[in-house]
Amino acid sequence: MCQHQPPCPSAESTDREAAHLVAHHPEQGWSLLCNGVLLFEDTGELLPDGQVIAPTRVTAAA
C-alpha cells in the first residue's frame, strides 16, 4: 500500500503510527494512515485485518 521511500512501518509493526497520513477527519475523530491503520483521536486503532487496539488511557498520579 505504501509508496514512500523508505517505506512506512507496516500495520503489524509496533511503530505503525509513524506511517504517513492519507486522510484526516478531525471533525469525525479519525485519521487513515498509508499502512491501512485507522487511528482514532482517543488513541484507539483499527488494523486492516479487523483487529482492534484499545485506546491507551493515561491516568494522573494522585
Side-chain angles (χ1 to χ4, degrees):
M1 189 185 251
C2 177
Q3 302 299 316
H4 300 105
Q5 291 300 323
C8 290
S10 71
E12 295 79 27
S13 177
T14 56
D15 61 344
R16 64 182 153 260
E17 294 174 10
H20 285 247
L21 204 57
V22 174
H24 182 59
H25 293 278
E27 72 283 357
Q28 295 176 354
W30 62 272
S31 298
L32 176 63
L33 304 179
C34 73
N35 57 8
V37 173
L38 276 173
L39 184 61
F40 297 96
E41 70 178 16
D42 68 354
T43 70
E45 300 174 21
L46 180 61
L47 304 185
D49 65 0
Q51 181 182 356
V52 174
I53 306 296
T56 305
R57 304 273 186 221
V58 177
T59 56

